[in-house]
Amino acid sequence: MLLLVTARNQTYNSAFLFLFSSLILLTILLLLFSAKMKSCTILQSEALAKYVLETSAYPREHEQLKELRNATIEAYHHMSEMNVPADEGQFLSMLLKLMNAKKTIEVGVFTGYSLLVTALALPKDGKVIAIDPDKEAYETGLPYIKKAGVADKIKFFNSDATTAMKEILDNGEEGTFDFAFVDADKENYISYHELLLKLVKVGGIIAYDNTLWSGTVALVEEDLSQEWIERIGVNRVHLRSLNAFLAADSRVELAQLSIGDGLSLCRRLK
C-alpha cells in the first residue's frame, strides 16, 4: 500500500511540474506577443519603451520624421511598426555621422522612415540608393522626404532587391558604399548579405534589422506547439539561421544590439 501511495504521489508531482512548466512557457509567449503587437521593440516593459521614446527620442525627432511616422500610422495602422522606432532612427543617424558616410544603400524601404533618417544624416553631397518593390508605400512618405529637402539625395529602385543590387554591381559600383541598411524579406537576408559584401567597401557597415524578432529567436522549437510556431511565424526561423550564419562569418566583425527589434551590425573586414 505504501509503495502504491508513493507511486501516486510521484505521478501527481510529475503532472503538477509539467503543468506548472507549461503555464510558465505560455505566460512568456503571451508577453512576447503582447509586446510584438503593441510595439516594435524587444523591451518587454511598455512603460520603459514609452519612457525611452517620450524622454529621448520624440523630443529630438525631426519634424518631417514625425509627420511621416504619423502618416504611416494613419495609412497602415498596426503595419506601421514595419518602420524602425524613433530611438533606433536616432542611433542610425548618429552612427552614419560618426562614420562620415556619404554613400549608402537601403534594402526594404516601406514608407521611408529609416530612409529619411539616412538622407537627413548624410552630407549635402551624400547619396542613398533605396530599393523596394512597393512603390505605393514609398510614395506615402515621399511628400515628407521632399518637404525635408533631401529628395535629391535619394535614388529609388522600384524592384526586388536581388535584381536591383545585381544591376548596381553591373554598373561598376562594387565596393563603393559606406553603409547598408536591410529591413526586408527575412528569408533572403543571407543571400542579400553576399551581394552587400560586394557593394559595401572594406571597413563599411551592413545593418540588419529585426534580428531578435521580439525575443522569440531565443525560444526552443521543441518546447513550442505547432499553434505557437505558426503564430510566431517562419521569420523567427529565418532570423535564427541568419544570426548563426553571421556569427560564423569571418568576413565581418559582428555586433548584435538590443535596440528596436534587434539590430545586427556587420563591419566588412575583407
Side-chain angles (χ1 to χ4, degrees):
M1 177 64 72
L2 180 60
L3 289 174
L4 181 58
V5 171
T6 301
R8 283 180 177 174
N9 286 338
Q10 288 176 341
T11 301
Y12 292 148
N13 287 339
S14 297
F16 174 78
L17 288 172
F18 175 77
L19 179 60
F20 183 68
S21 300
S22 299
L23 287 172
I24 290 175
L25 178 60
L26 181 60
T27 301
I28 292 171
L29 287 168
L30 287 171
L31 286 170
L32 288 169
F33 276 99
S34 174
K36 183 67 178 176
M37 291 303 293
K38 294 177 183 176
S39 170
C40 53
T41 173
I42 64 166
L43 292 177
Q44 297 305 301
S45 165
E46 279 298 306
L48 181 56
K50 182 179 180 182
Y51 174 82
V52 170
L53 291 171
E54 294 184 352
T55 303
S56 303
Y58 291 158
R60 289 177 171 263
E61 188 178 33
H62 190 281
E63 188 59 31
Q64 273 67 65
L65 284 171
K66 190 186 302 291
E67 292 173 356
L68 192 156
R69 176 166 56 81
N70 289 331
T72 304
I73 293 170
E74 183 177 342
Y76 290 93
H77 307 292
H78 73 278
M79 287 180 63
S80 63
E81 292 184 356
M82 289 169 62
N83 276 329
V84 300
D87 57 330
E88 184 178 346
Q90 279 186 325
F91 170 78
L92 291 172
S93 177
M94 186 175 290
L95 176 63
L96 288 163
K97 291 169 184 174
L98 289 170
M99 292 175 61
N100 294 315
K102 284 191 174 183
K103 186 177 181 182
T104 75
I105 183 169
E106 181 157 331
V107 180
V109 174
F110 190 42
T111 61
Y113 189 94
S114 55
L115 178 62
L116 180 53
V117 165
T118 299
L120 288 167
L122 295 181
K124 289 184 178 180
D125 59 344
K127 297 295 179 185
V128 52
I129 299 292
I131 305 169
D132 203 300
D134 188 351
K135 190 175 183 179
E136 182 179 349
Y138 169 67
E139 289 178 341
T140 299
L142 187 56
Y144 308 101
I145 292 172
K146 290 179 177 178
K147 188 177 179 180
V150 293
D152 60 319
K153 297 181 184 180
I154 298 168
K155 182 177 181 181
F156 179 69
F157 280 74
N158 184 205
S159 167
D160 68 273
T162 300
T163 299
M165 284 192 282
K166 286 181 177 179
E167 182 181 331
I168 295 165
L169 285 168
D170 291 341
N171 196 39
E173 298 185 61
E174 182 170 348
T176 63
F177 290 85
D178 301 302
F179 179 81
F181 181 71
V182 186
D183 186 3
D185 43 329
K186 315 310 176 192
E187 66 268 25
N188 287 315
Y189 269 22
I190 292 177
S191 62
Y192 294 161
H193 185 69
E194 298 303 325
L195 291 168
L196 289 167
L197 280 175
K198 296 177 182 179
L199 288 167
V200 172
K201 63 178 64 173
V202 172
I205 289 178
I206 307 169
Y208 294 99
D209 201 30
N210 304 119
T211 56
L212 294 178
W213 206 241
S214 292
T216 61
V217 290
L219 299 178
V220 180
E221 189 116 357
E222 290 73 19
D223 293 338
L224 301 174
S225 68
Q226 186 60 38
E227 178 186 357
W228 278 110
I229 290 173
E230 291 173 359
R231 289 184 66 180
I232 292 170
V234 71
N235 282 339
R236 168 185 165 275
V237 177
H238 296 316
L239 291 166
R240 281 174 61 92
S241 297
L242 172 77
N243 292 336
F245 176 83
L246 294 178
D249 190 352
S250 62
R251 298 168 295 177
V252 298
E253 181 179 358
L254 176 65
Q256 189 168 33
L257 308 180
S258 52
I259 189 172
D261 197 20
L263 182 69
S264 293
L265 301 180
C266 302
R267 188 172 74 92
R268 184 184 168 191
L269 299 175
K270 53 186 176 181

